[in-house]
Amino acid sequence: MIAKEGRATLFILLTLSFPLGVYSHASNNQYLTFLYYLFGIVFLFTIYFFRDPLRKINNDPSFFVSPADGRILSIDVVDDSDIGPSSYVISIFLNLFDVHVNRYPFDGIIDHVERKNGKFIAAFNHKAVDVNEQVITTIAYHNSKYKIKQIAGLIARRILCYAKPNLKVMKGDRMGFIRFGSRTDLVVSSNVTICVKEGDKVKGGETILAKI
């Protein structure tokens, strides 16, 4: 399955590649043939990058699942003004070869969405959360809240977020997409038990990150 965010890009690449291939073959021009193969490689990589595989969502009401594919970069404790004192921040780094769909890790209602302009330093740099461009979505559930930060990286230049205030969301629903290498942080309250450790590989919608 191809993510809707990549369909326009794929259409443009296909529109350029097909006539180029026909003309390069007819003219036997080595330069055009090279360009055709180059476009073909880019096209195949784009299909791979914008893949959106089906996931079996863990619907246990006591579990937070991962909001993204990737690797656990860090697990920190912070005092968050929205989530509360001693909140956990689970940071997930997405490289170019990970699925870049973001999903809601838990049921809830969107409280607010904030977009922050900023820099584009490498997403694995711990300073990225403070200085990089990002979209912060806060979601209310039961008598608490959790927060998702979609953080741009060195190459990522566009964060897509479909969250809107007062929207009811379900665990595993698609919430957005980050193009080309990035980071996704989940901020949860101190009343949960963390179920992962640094370095763990996780899958969006499937891997359990925390338990209430």
Side-chain angles (χ1 to χ4, degrees), residues 57-59 63-68 101-111 113 137-139 146-148 150 160-165 167-176 184 186 204-206:
I57 308 303
N58 189 318
N59 289 315
F63 291 145
F64 280 87
V65 296
S66 180
V101 174
N102 287 143
R103 299 177 183 274
Y104 294 104
F106 203 80
D107 298 348
I109 297 175
I110 305 296
D111 186 70
V113 182
T137 303
T138 303
I139 299 137
Y146 70 90
K147 183 181 290 185
I148 301 170
Q150 296 170 279
L160 302 175
C161 181
Y162 307 126
K164 295 180 180 179
L167 178 68
K168 184 177 180 179
V169 299
M170 302 291 289
K171 184 192 299 186
D173 286 352
R174 294 171 96 262
M175 73 165 291
T184 302
L186 172 63
E206 292 187 357

Side-chain angles (χ1 to χ4, degrees), residues 20-87:
L20 182 62
V22 172
Y23 188 74
S24 64
H25 179 73
S27 64
N28 200 27
N29 185 301
Q30 290 185 347
Y31 177 69
L32 292 179
T33 301
F34 171 77
L35 285 179
Y36 171 64
Y37 283 119
L38 181 62
F39 269 97
I41 292 170
V42 173
F43 181 77
L44 291 175
F45 174 75
T46 304
I47 289 176
Y48 179 77
F49 180 82
F50 284 103
R51 68 197 187 281
D52 186 6
L54 294 175
R55 292 289 165 81
K56 186 176 180 180
I57 308 303
N58 189 318
N59 289 315
D60 188 311
S62 63
F63 291 145
F64 280 87
V65 296
S66 180
D69 285 30
R71 191 173 297 279
I72 302 295
L73 182 65
S74 62
I75 301 172
D76 298 313
V77 177
V78 299
D79 292 331
D80 188 281
S81 58
D82 294 309
I83 311 305
S86 301
S87 300

Side-chain angles (χ1 to χ4, degrees), residues 178-199:
I178 313 178
R179 290 179 178 169
F180 307 115
S182 51
R183 172 173 163 175
T184 302
D185 284 6
L186 172 63
V187 187
V188 290
S189 65
S190 58
N191 64 354
V192 305
T193 300
I194 302 299
C195 302
V196 288
K197 62 183 183 301
E198 289 184 16

